[in-house]
Amino acid sequence: MNKTHKKILGFAGLGLVAAVTTVAAAIPIPKAAAVNVTDNISVQVVSSEPSIDMTTGSGSVVTSPEYSFVVSYSNISHITVSLVNKDDGGNTVFQKELLDKDISALSGSEDFDLNLNDYGGYGNFTFKTIGLDENNVQIEKVLTVRYEKEEEKVDPDDGGEVEVDPTVPTKKVALFDITVYDENGNFVTSLQSSPEGMKNLDLSALSDGTYELLIQGKDENGEIISTERRTIVICKTGTTCNSDKKVEDVGEEIGRVVVTILDKNGTQVKTPTTITNPQAGDSIPIDLAGLSAGVYSVRMDYYSPDGRLIKTLFDTISISDTSGNVEVDVDDEVDVVTEIEVIIRDKDGNIVRIIKVDRKTGTVYVYDADGNLLYTIPNGYKDGKFNIPFDGLEGGDYTATITYRDENGNIVGTSDVYTVSYQGGKAVIVPDTGSFFAGLNMSREDFLITGGIVFAVVGVVAFGVVARNKRNFKK
């Protein structure tokens, strides 16, 4: 079949398809068969039992002040509806009774259309309905909703932010203040020690027995930056190596407590002791006899009567040597940073945005250059990482200076500086090229492309050198 015949056959096929499509489109659509229409009869069955229900079309969290709910009831003689608005700290912001009346009908409902701004504004609202039946038996229903400010969300996929994983600086303890109490909580003595001295603390003036140490670490300015408690056992004679531990209240019945003593490496050093059916507050004797001087960990595993592990608690105990010297295991490098602050500046050095990270709550606060809050990012700080958002800024090169502060606002350690290129809605950290290339602006893609070009050039040169040597070798 030559090319002309193939074309004729193809056009004929297309014509057939068009004809079939036209015929199919012209076929009328069958109409639904007619049905007989009958009236729907609605039967409502009312229970003789008193009941109350509260319903709403809104979710458990709202950002609009308009809020509605319906209270339905049956066989109720009296009904009250009230609200309480509390802030995140549990403090009452506003409370009011919305309804208080007698009910005569067997069943009915009450509609409530509220503007939450009229009742204290943002907060945690609890709506409570209390009904009384004819025998004054009380029935209660509760409806809760959180009314919060609608916040601008940062899309993590839009590329307009960079993730940083900064190394949070610590503060060094310069001096330890130590207060010694006996096992009954009575003051015994106080002393001071350098961090190095805590490895061999001289407590030879104390008689044998168990003591509690309140240890406060201070920085070079005398500010308290850490507070820890430690249990020590003065055991100079080698015959009084024992201590007691209180049974903690773990919130449920305790079937048994298993006590295990571990050394600094986590190795079990004595056979575990089991105490059955203890009560919160009971004293458990801890047998330390035969252990050499050093630091030990006491692990207490709490089990329910059916054998389920409820909780595991640890305590540290230091045993003295025969002269009364004790090694006390405390940290001399303390993480005191509560807030991470990021200042973003443009290429001219002007501040364009401020970010503050609350390490306790994990919330990231984003401010404009004047300190006005733009939006917050709940749980934006997680596992030591957070994102620096550049959305809303003009394209260009920026520097982000990260500063670390303690709870008093004091700067801890030194600041970290990142250079960021923000172009086309995408932010990229520019690699540190060192002082020689300090003025060179290279994005990640530029860096990779440049590396590829250099690699190719070196490869070509090397190939040429090898080829020339091969020709020389043949000659």
Side-chain angles (χ1 to χ4, degrees), residues 309-326:
L309 179 63
I310 302 173
K311 182 181 289 188
T312 297
L313 299 176
F314 288 88
D315 193 12
T316 301
I317 289 182
S318 295
I319 300 177
S320 75
D321 57 21
T322 55
S323 63
N325 292 333
V326 180

Side-chain angles (χ1 to χ4, degrees), residues 83-96 119-120 124:
L83 72 80
V84 175
N85 178 11
K86 294 186 178 182
D87 60 21
D88 290 338
N91 303 307
T92 299
V93 177
F94 192 94
Q95 59 183 6
K96 184 178 181 179
Y119 302 95
N124 302 285

Side-chain angles (χ1 to χ4, degrees), residues 261-281:
I261 301 177
L262 312 170
D263 64 14
K264 294 178 66 173
N265 299 319
T267 303
Q268 178 181 312
V269 293
K270 292 183 76 71
T271 302
T273 303
T274 300
I275 296 89
T276 59
N277 301 319
Q279 301 297 315

Side-chain angles (χ1 to χ4, degrees), residues 76-111:
I76 297 296
S77 61
H78 187 85
I79 190 172
T80 59
V81 180
S82 61
L83 72 80
V84 175
N85 178 11
K86 294 186 178 182
D87 60 21
D88 290 338
N91 303 307
T92 299
V93 177
F94 192 94
Q95 59 183 6
K96 184 178 181 179
E97 193 169 70
L98 301 176
L99 179 68
D100 184 357
K101 76 173 186 176
D102 294 326
I103 305 295
S104 59
L106 289 177
S107 64
S109 64
E110 299 287 341
D111 295 343

Side-chain angles (χ1 to χ4, degrees), residues 16 23 50 80 105 127 164 193-194 215 224 292 360 401 436 441 444:
L16 179 60
V23 172
T80 59
F127 300 94
V164 292
S193 173
S194 66
I215 306 169
I224 298 174
S292 59
K360 290 183 178 179
T401 304
F436 185 76
N441 180 14
R444 185 181 303 171

Side-chain angles (χ1 to χ4, degrees), residues 62-68 113-119 121-122 147:
V62 298
T63 55
S64 171
E66 306 302 325
Y67 186 75
S68 302
D113 296 314
L114 308 178
N115 187 317
L116 299 183
N117 288 333
D118 297 334
Y119 302 95
Y122 302 122
Y147 173 37

